[in-house]
């Protein structure tokens, strides 16, 4: 059985003892009931991974002997998801699913048809998304925790699309009006991919126009219309099969 993954900002060299405390330590010792002798995989969330064994356990703290340490290769191409804000009850679910499916960067977007509105609580919303991404990364045993950017406006998203295209990446706006599918795009040769996922009400005409004028391809994800909270995860699964990511 694979060892449980927990995150520590700095991982010491092999032979040293790492201390896991704070929220991670409490979760490991109290919720997961990890004890002396149990194996744990530590990661800094930025690619460093270490095999460890628990040598000391308290109610909110673990001491771990580092057995070895390595750097996990990042997947390629990288995938950024611009996610229109879902309804509150599905907001963090969207982050969890796309994290488990392999998103590298998540950008929350206040689209014109979003029911949710973060204008007065953007910092709190972003913090919740970052916590959800961290928890989902632990659950899926990821060496890299996806970054969650600050809240973006539509003009900010247009700038991101232009930047991706300038770096020879591919930008895709997922929409039912799309004339093609993901498999028709040259995804395998792209250094990076940007997915734009609209809100439950869909992208409006002005957003579609701005995105296409900036270089995004409007693409149909599949034969059915998906919820905004699940669309990114489904698209990431398709990209895994259509690119070297898997």
């Amino acid at each position: 059985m694979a060892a449980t993954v927990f995150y520590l900002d700095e991982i010491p060299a092999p032979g040293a003892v790492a201390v896991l405390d704070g929220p991670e330590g409490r979760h490991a010792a109290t919720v997961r009931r990890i004890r002396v002798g149990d194996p744990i995989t530590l990661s800094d969330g930025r690619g460093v991974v270490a095999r460890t064994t628990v040598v000391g356990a308290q109610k909110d703290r673990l001491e771990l002997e580092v057995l070895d340490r390595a750097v996990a290769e990042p997947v390629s191409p990288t995938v950024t998801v611009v996610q229109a804000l879902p309804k509150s009850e599905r907001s963090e679910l969207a982050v969890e699913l796309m994290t488990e499916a392999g998103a590298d960067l998540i950008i929350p977007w206040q689209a014109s048809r979003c029911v949710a509105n973060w204008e007065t609580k953007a910092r709190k919303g972003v913090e919740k998304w970052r916590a959800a991404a961290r928890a989902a990364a632990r659950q899926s045993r990821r060496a890299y925790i996806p970054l969650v950017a600050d809240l973006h406006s539509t003009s900010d998203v247009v700038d991101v699309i232009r930047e991706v295209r300038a770096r020879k990446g591919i930008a895709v706006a997922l929409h039912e009006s799309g004339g093609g599918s993901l498999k028709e795009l040259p995804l395998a040769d792209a250094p990076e991919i940007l997915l734009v996922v609209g809100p439950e009400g869909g992208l409006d005409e002005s957003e579609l126009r701005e995105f296409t004028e900036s270089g995004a391809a409007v693409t149909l994800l599949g034969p059915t219309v998906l919820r905004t909270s699940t669309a990114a995860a489904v698209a990431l699964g398709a990209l895994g099969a259509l690119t070297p990511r898997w």
Side-chain angles (χ1 to χ4, degrees):
M1 180 181 295
T4 303
V5 173
F6 287 94
Y7 296 108
L8 189 65
D9 287 340
E10 298 293 335
I11 299 176
V17 173
V19 175
L20 189 67
D21 54 13
E24 291 282 291
R26 284 192 296 274
H27 182 80
T30 303
V31 179
R32 299 297 298 272
R33 298 183 180 276
I34 293 172
R35 297 293 182 257
V36 172
D38 289 345
I40 283 184
T41 298
L42 282 183
S43 173
D44 64 357
R46 302 182 300 276
V48 176
V49 179
R51 288 192 310 118
T52 74
T53 298
V54 179
V55 294
Q58 301 176 26
K59 65 179 181 179
D60 59 354
R61 167 189 170 106
L62 295 179
E63 295 178 356
L64 314 163
E65 181 183 0
V66 178
L67 305 178
D68 57 38
R69 188 175 65 175
V71 179
E73 289 293 327
V75 295
S76 180
T78 59
V79 178
T80 296
V81 178
V82 174
Q83 174 67 60
L85 304 179
K87 297 175 184 178
S88 59
E89 66 271 16
R90 302 186 68 87
S91 184
E92 290 165 56
L93 172 64
V95 177
E96 293 170 4
L97 292 176
M98 70 179 82
T99 298
E100 292 173 7
D104 299 296
L105 170 62
I106 301 169
I107 299 176
W109 167 39
Q110 186 74 61
S112 64
R113 292 179 177 172
C114 284
V115 174
N117 190 325
W118 281 12
E119 289 183 1
T120 60
K121 54 182 180 181
R123 179 176 295 180
K124 182 178 180 181
V126 169
E127 288 175 353
K128 285 186 175 181
W129 279 29
R130 288 172 178 162
R134 185 183 183 92
R138 181 198 298 131
Q139 172 67 31
S140 50
R141 301 191 176 109
R142 289 187 56 168
Y144 292 87
I145 301 172
L147 299 174
V148 177
D150 291 334
L151 181 64
H152 277 45
S153 65
T154 296
S155 62
D156 294 330
V157 174
V158 168
D159 289 340
V160 173
I161 292 171
R162 288 173 176 160
E163 291 166 3
V164 169
R165 296 294 292 139
R167 295 191 294 265
K168 308 301 181 183
I170 291 177
V172 180
L174 300 174
H175 193 262
E176 60 187 9
S177 68
S181 64
L182 288 174
K183 65 183 179 181
E184 296 170 357
L185 299 173
L187 300 171
D189 298 325
E192 61 179 306
I193 299 169
L194 175 71
L195 295 174
V196 180
V197 179
E200 296 289 358
L203 303 172
D204 72 16
E205 291 301 320
S206 64
E207 291 166 344
L208 278 172
R209 183 176 62 255
E210 288 187 78
F211 294 164
T212 55
E213 290 175 352
S214 302
V218 180
T219 303
L220 185 66
L221 181 56
T224 59
V225 177
L226 301 175
R227 284 183 177 270
T228 186
S229 55
T230 56
V234 172
L236 283 157
L239 292 179
L242 294 171
T243 70
R245 285 175 62 88
W246 288 0

